[in-house]
Amino acid sequence: MLPYPSSDASGESVSDPQSATPDKIRIIGGQQLKGTIPISGAKNAALKVMCAALLTDESLYLENMPNTLRDIASQTELLTHLGCTLSAEGDLMAINAKNVNELTAPYEIVRKMRGSILVLGPLLARFGEAKVSLPGGCAIGTRPVDLHIKGLEELGAEINLEGGYINAKAPKGLTGAKITFPKVSVGATENLMMAATLAKGETVLSNAAREPEIADLGECLVKMGAKIEGLGTDTIRIEGVKNLSGAHHSVLPDRIETGTYLIAAGMAGGTLKLQNARIEHLSAVMGLLAQAGMEIDQSGNDIIVHRNGLRLKGIDIMTEPYPGFPTDLQAQFMAMLTLAEGAAMVTENIFENRFMHVPELNRMGADITVQGNSAIIRGVKKLKGAEVMATDLRASVALVLAGLVAEGETVVNRIYHLERGYENIVEKLQGCGAQVEKTA
Ligand code: EPZ
């Protein structure tokens, strides 16, 4: 296990967001995929357990961390700015927040990644004060944080918004409350759950989000001494405690990365073994992939996916909070539907602007029409390679998947987005026979 983190080791082994020079991926389509892909720890759980470290002055030791991701580097930068010491090696990370000496999360860091809003609840709960830049909109929608703010106010915080910052104060500490979310929100559930661990008395979060990453964060908090019941359900009860302590926690496997490679096999054909994956976190997706014509088996913690030469069938999907179909797999599934037999409809119910991949897929020969929050995809026989660009993580990976099956060469620009959320994607695909490389 890693040593107690020292200030000399403040995240140096976590990748530097500015360091990558190749910014494109070149793909020659047409190879079947055959081989084994190890699934990394879940980005959207890792980013949150890092924030949980702020709740204690003891060290938090994390395993199965996707340490090479840019988003993890951004969160490392933020925690270091606040005065935490971090060290990382392989997929291990140690964080110590004993010497936090700064309670402001500045715009320059928050703007890079919305996941940084998750420091708000822990800072406020432990130090009675926090100032966090409003994250603003992003490519996939306006993405307000009103539910985070309202929930913290219900726990007794005084909050005002000034100069683009959330100024939150709770000089006498937070007090437990019954909070019913008017809308299901992953981030608000997590922020409130973390804040409530150190509040006085009981907090009940109703209409809470049920994503597996939230339960993973909750399990980490329980190891730290928090009293939480109802994880994985829409009603989470937290009995506040005076202090939390250090702990060891292993982050759950990334269900979105898993789903992305399942879809890759569906598009390119062949057989993939996805190692250390959790099939039960993808139940909404598995049924649909089987309906489309894929064969999926489980062997211990591995998933084996196979598609023979037959064409997949078009399937309608609709994104919903967990356990429904995840918005984070919508773009990838749509890329697959471009080649399926017949027409299919994709409805995006979580984010209002998450169809940026559509014009790029159409440039590759797809036939997709968008109407409001739905897209009609008419399956075509083949896609053609092109130079493409996308503005968010999942849209970018959808274009990589399309490139794997398109005729000729596809160049995906601005792989910055991919590196935010997919560890070693080029190497993982190369290892299964794909002709893919990074280029400047
Ligand atoms: C998390 O974002 C994920 N990000 C997203 O993953 C994911 O798409 C999303 O959950 C939904 O599953 C991280 O975990 C870092 P929400 P989050 O709060 O927490 C609205 C990826 O590709 N809303 O559940 O920000 C919001 O605008 C990313 O890895 C409010 O109106 O999502 C959206 O329409 C992208 N007010 C809906 O709720 C609020 O205060 C769900 O958002 C908060 C949210």
Side-chain angles (χ1 to χ4, degrees), residues 166-243:
I166 304 165
N167 291 297
K169 285 200 167 69
K172 293 187 185 141
L174 297 169
T175 308
K178 287 191 166 43
I179 297 170
T180 302
F181 294 110
K183 182 174 187 174
V184 179
S185 161
V186 172
T189 302
E190 293 166 333
N191 234 339
L192 273 281
M193 180 168 73
M194 285 194 278
T197 59
L198 293 179
K200 284 183 212 95
E202 188 188 59
T203 297
V204 181
L205 303 177
S206 302
N207 198 25
R210 290 182 279 166
E211 271 67 3
E213 294 76 20
I214 300 174
D216 195 60
L217 170 65
E219 282 161 22
C220 176
L221 293 167
V222 168
K223 289 174 193 160
M224 294 167 70
K227 292 191 176 156
I228 306 178
E229 281 174 13
L231 288 170
T233 76
D234 65 0
T235 307
I236 304 178
R237 288 173 191 277
I238 306 118
E239 180 67 41
V241 294
K242 283 231 163 71
N243 294 299

Side-chain angles (χ1 to χ4, degrees), residues 291-292 312-316 333 337 339-345 377:
Q291 248 177 285
L312 294 178
K313 294 188 208 67
I315 300 280
D316 294 348
F333 208 92
L337 292 172
L339 290 166
E341 197 179 331
M345 185 154 87
I377 302 106

Side-chain angles (χ1 to χ4, degrees), residues 2 19 49 126 147 157 161 171 174 197 219 242 327 358 393 397 405 414 425:
L2 288 173
S19 69
V49 290
R126 178 156 157 230
L147 302 175
L161 304 180
L174 297 169
T197 59
E219 282 161 22
K242 283 231 163 71
T327 174
V358 169
L393 167 59
V397 84
V405 280
R414 293 178 71 189
I425 182 167

Side-chain angles (χ1 to χ4, degrees), residues 255-267:
R255 68 193 161 100
I256 305 300
E257 189 195 23
T258 308
T260 301
Y261 289 122
L262 288 173
I263 294 169
M267 292 176 76

Side-chain angles (χ1 to χ4, degrees), residues 326-393:
T327 174
D328 291 347
L329 282 174
Q330 178 258 107
Q332 301 90 313
F333 208 92
M334 191 188 295
M336 186 180 87
L337 292 172
T338 62
L339 290 166
E341 197 179 331
M345 185 154 87
V346 169
T347 304
E348 172 56 56
N349 287 320
I350 307 293
F351 292 111
E352 72 263 33
N353 188 27
R354 211 171 195 185
F355 281 147
M356 281 95 53
H357 41 287
V358 169
E360 300 300 293
L361 288 170
N362 281 346
R363 289 181 60 242
M364 296 176 75
D367 180 355
I368 311 172
T369 323
V370 173
Q371 274 175 358
N373 67 337
S374 291
I376 307 286
I377 302 106
R378 294 184 177 81
V380 294
K381 287 244 162 69
K382 64 179 179 199
L383 296 176
K384 289 192 184 130
E387 187 142 352
V388 289
M389 164 106 61
T391 45
D392 89 285
L393 167 59

